[in-house]
Amino acid sequence: KQEVTQIPAALSVPEGENLVLNCSFTDSAIYNLQWFRQDPGKGLTSLLLIQSSQREQTSGRLNASLDKSSGRSTLYIAASQPGDSATYLCAVRKGYSSASKIIFGSGTRLSIRP
Amino acid sequence: DTGVSQDPRHKITKRGQNVTFRCDPISEHNRLYWYRQTLGQGPEFLTYFQNEAQLEKSRLLSDRFSAERPKGSFSTLEIQRTEQGDSAMYLCASSIRDRLAGGGNTGELFFGEGSRLTVL
């Protein structure tokens, strides 16, 4: 059974710092991994999608890596800003198909202090 | 097209009443998902459609829950005889089966803003 864990559950850092959010999963047979951002009371906004054959994806100040063999993904945020404050969720699509089930972690609640 | 839209955004109801949520996916997306999210948790899968066919249902989806996607476009999620434990954010997401770039199927999910249900 695929389980997705995000540690820590909450993180507070001063503005300007680089930071890393962690996501671990128990079954390496994944189709892809997607990072989302969620603001309070809102839906999820897709940040980055990494296919199983890829090692990393970058978008602006964000970089996501994937290591299937160790069951880990990291989301790196450079030069953090107060506007980055949100909950960050990772989601793993199981198996070998774009139709297979997606399992979410519980998220890391990030707070950037001005 | 501006993305996945959900209606209503907020619903307050009394226990025992029925509620219905609507989701309009991104127009060319043939896959549609419903998730439920409670405070401090990640979304939990409820059900999934490919076009009009409901292909998978979670065990979380009790007999009081029913979802439809009659024409393969918008979807509705109905909860009958609501209970306080049904209070949650109900999220809809869509994805496209085939992406042209690179020829591969990315399976990327796009979410709506959610429908928050409060059962008194």
Side-chain angles (χ1 to χ4, degrees), chain B residues 78-90:
Chain B
E78 181 183 17
I79 309 173
Q80 296 181 327
R81 305 182 303 282
T82 52
E83 302 172 357
Q84 288 183 328
D86 297 332
S87 296
M89 175 79 88
Y90 290 85

Side-chain angles (χ1 to χ4, degrees), chain A residues 2 5 13 15 18 31 33 40 43 53 60 64-65 70 80 85 91 94 97 99-100 107-108 112:
Chain A
Q2 179 70 277
T5 304
V13 300
E15 180 179 3
N18 303 327
Y31 187 79
L33 185 146
S53 59
S65 68
S70 66
S80 58
S85 297
K94 296 168 54 176
S97 162
S100 53
T108 295
I112 306 298

Side-chain angles (χ1 to χ4, degrees), chain A residues 31-32 34 36 38 41-49 51 89 93 97-107, chain B residues 9 31 33 35 37 40-43 45 48 50 56 89 91 95 97 105-114 116:
Chain A
Y31 187 79
N32 62 31
Q34 195 167 354
F36 293 90
Q38 185 174 33
K42 302 286 189 178
L44 281 67
T45 300
S46 179
L47 297 174
L48 289 164
L49 174 74
Q51 300 297 336
L89 295 142
R93 189 183 285 273
S97 162
S98 63
S100 53
K101 196 170 183 177
I102 298 167
I103 309 295
F104 280 84
S106 295
Chain B
R9 292 290 313 282
R31 292 176 175 168
Y33 303 78
Y35 283 83
Q37 186 180 29
Q41 299 298 314
F45 171 79
Y48 151 60
Q50 182 160 303
E56 189 174 350
M89 175 79 88
L91 293 162
S95 71
R97 182 177 183 182
N105 303 338
T106 69
E108 186 173 4
L109 275 187
F110 297 87
F111 278 84
E113 290 292 338
R116 178 166 295 285

Side-chain angles (χ1 to χ4, degrees), chain A residues 54-66:
Chain A
Q54 298 174 326
R55 299 281 299 191
E56 66 177 350
Q57 284 287 329
T58 298
S59 176
R61 295 182 295 108
L62 306 180
N63 176 277
S65 68
L66 175 64

Side-chain angles (χ1 to χ4, degrees), chain B residues 34-93:
Chain B
W34 284 99
Y35 283 83
R36 180 171 68 186
Q37 186 180 29
T38 54
L39 198 62
Q41 299 298 314
E44 295 176 295
F45 171 79
L46 292 178
T47 190
Y48 151 60
F49 290 86
Q50 182 160 303
N51 300 312
E52 66 276 8
Q54 188 172 20
L55 297 186
E56 189 174 350
K57 290 171 61 173
S58 165
R59 282 172 289 181
L60 293 174
L61 217 65
S62 74
D63 291 344
R64 297 184 297 106
F65 288 71
S66 63
E68 294 183 342
R69 195 183 182 198
K71 298 181 180 179
S73 56
F74 73 91
S75 175
T76 57
L77 176 69
E78 181 183 17
I79 309 173
Q80 296 181 327
R81 305 182 303 282
T82 52
E83 302 172 357
Q84 288 183 328
D86 297 332
S87 296
M89 175 79 88
Y90 290 85
L91 293 162
C92 176

